[in-house]
Amino acid sequence: MTGQDKQRHAVVIGAGIVGACTALALSRRGVRVTVVDPAPPGGRQAASYGNGAFISPASIIPMSVPGLWRKVPGFLMDRTGPLTIDWASLPRLSPWLARFLLAGLTGPRLTRTAANLAALLHKGPERHLALARDIGVEGVIRQDGLLYVYANRAEFAAEATLWALRRANGLTWTELDAAALRQAEPALSDRYGFGVLVERGAHCVDPGAYVGAILAASKADLRVARATHIRPGVVGTDHGQIACDATVLTAGMASAHLARTLGDTIPMEAERGYHIELPDPPIALRRPIMPNDGKMANTMTANGLRAAGQVELSHAGADPDWRRAEILRDHLIRTYPALRDADWSRAHLWQGNRPSTPDGLPVIGAASVPGVWYGFGHGHLGLNAAPHTADLLADLMTGTPPAIDIQAFAPRRFARGAPRITT
């Protein structure tokens, strides 16, 4: 595809937030787009539906950091922590886990990953504000800041290395003592005595509806079908074949299997996440909050107060462990005392699978087969990174040089013989 091919036809496989943004980006460049997904966009089946709704410029720190390997036994034994590993899945997960731990083994590796994520997430809140305005749903994105809260300054200081890395990549914030924190959010428990307010942070009040609105604005032809195979010039589905000039694979967890049929082995596992959402809560947060002890996003959405988070490394098809949602509920009650007497029988529970690579970076670039492009593996950064990822894919597909260096996201970094990181 080139910039002159105004009526070329692209098939986007996957109608999540990355797929929807990609469909819109291509449509704006004159490409005719068909989107293929087994279910209508924005539904409960999608990771895009149930995320924490944060659009945070602070989210440049991957899960794998130096010293994490020492905590693996605890992840296996403790089923209540913010990250847990399913014993039964350990044999299958082991190769991915080994690469995951190596990816964050040293400070230089962490620094490189953070810099690459900072480039991808650059102006994420502003991109979403502009996108929502352009498609007529401006109110779905709010920029009220994001508040990270700690028991005390010493607890914050324990993460000083990570916050210094954020500062080195351009993040600014305001530190709040106990009095300022009470003023900023009166509903908080007095167990929290220190806060970090990231003023540029934004959030989405209805992620599912947002995805649907983006896809509608793209005017793409939506095919409710499951992609079964990809060949040059054709996408096969369980409802027939679709001829095309180019294919973009943005299908989340389903992407790894389809990529493998093209000769590209991408190590990807599910960060199984959960949320609990309380309708008509007795409190209304002034802005989204992330308590350090719970490592969960607390956000007011169109449907109530949502707590989303937890990472359960397990098989993507395993039955949900709803105890994880109960842990989120218990954290909410400890964080906001007014929720003790709330009617939790009305709460909505959700579980979804975040597609995650071991090095914490998404896969963005050309497949081994000509005419096929990848945009998946964003883990918990899908919402945050979607508009920029879409623009990068549209650049690549129309022959426009990308605005940033995307070598770190190349699909071939996982291939045998690819250069290895040694520091």
Side-chain angles (χ1 to χ4, degrees), residues 246-249 259 262-266 362-376 392-397 402 406-407 409-415:
T247 303
V248 195
L249 183 54
L262 298 174
D264 294 319
T265 300
I266 309 294
V363 176
I364 304 171
S368 296
V369 173
V372 181
W373 308 86
Y374 295 153
F376 59 83
L392 293 170
L393 287 168
D395 285 342
L396 292 169
M397 294 173 67
I406 61 170
Q407 280 190 315
F409 310 118
R412 290 179 181 80
R413 71 186 189 270
F414 297 114

Side-chain angles (χ1 to χ4, degrees), residues 115-153:
N116 285 314
L117 289 177
L120 183 62
L121 301 184
H122 182 59
K123 294 188 176 179
E126 292 77 15
R127 292 177 194 272
H128 276 288
L129 287 165
L131 174 57
R133 182 182 60 250
D134 290 347
I135 65 174
V137 292
E138 187 170 3
V140 80
I141 302 295
R142 295 180 57 90
Q143 193 173 31
D144 302 321
L146 300 170
L147 184 58
Y148 297 79
V149 298
Y150 296 83
N152 47 52
R153 182 177 284 275

Side-chain angles (χ1 to χ4, degrees), residues 28 50 54 201-202 229 250 309 350 358 373 384:
R28 285 175 166 175
F54 272 41
H229 63 271
T250 60
W350 175 87
W373 308 86
N384 209 342

Side-chain angles (χ1 to χ4, degrees), residues 44-66:
R44 290 180 60 87
Q45 80 286 343
S48 300
Y49 171 89
N51 57 45
F54 272 41
I55 306 170
S56 177
S59 297
I60 66 169
I61 306 299
M63 282 202 305
S64 183
V65 297

Side-chain angles (χ1 to χ4, degrees), residues 156-223:
F156 168 72
E159 295 185 348
T161 299
L162 304 183
W163 284 98
L165 193 51
R166 292 179 172 113
R167 189 185 296 280
N169 282 281
L171 185 70
T172 60
W173 63 83
T174 299
E175 297 180 3
L176 307 178
D177 61 15
L181 191 57
R182 293 285 84 69
Q183 186 173 9
E185 186 48 72
L188 269 173
S189 165
D190 58 11
R191 64 188 288 160
Y192 301 103
F194 185 81
V196 172
L197 177 60
V198 178
E199 288 92 345
R200 281 189 51 236
H203 69 285
C204 179
V205 301
D206 195 337
Y210 186 39
V211 171
I214 295 169
L215 197 54
S218 76
K219 301 191 184 313
D221 176 22
L222 176 63
R223 305 283 184 92

Side-chain angles (χ1 to χ4, degrees), residues 92 95-97 99 230 249-270 354-369 372-379 407-416 418 420:
R92 186 185 57 79
W96 185 93
L97 279 172
R99 299 180 81 154
I230 304 170
L249 183 54
T250 60
M253 282 303 301
S255 299
H257 169 72
L258 287 168
R260 195 157 43 246
T261 68
L262 298 174
D264 294 319
T265 300
I266 309 294
M268 199 160 68
E269 293 293 346
R354 312 179 190 99
S356 298
T357 62
D359 62 5
L361 299 173
V363 176
I364 304 171
S368 296
V369 173
V372 181
W373 308 86
Y374 295 153
F376 59 83
H378 290 75
Q407 280 190 315
F409 310 118
R412 290 179 181 80
R413 71 186 189 270
F414 297 114
R416 289 182 185 233
R420 301 293 181 189

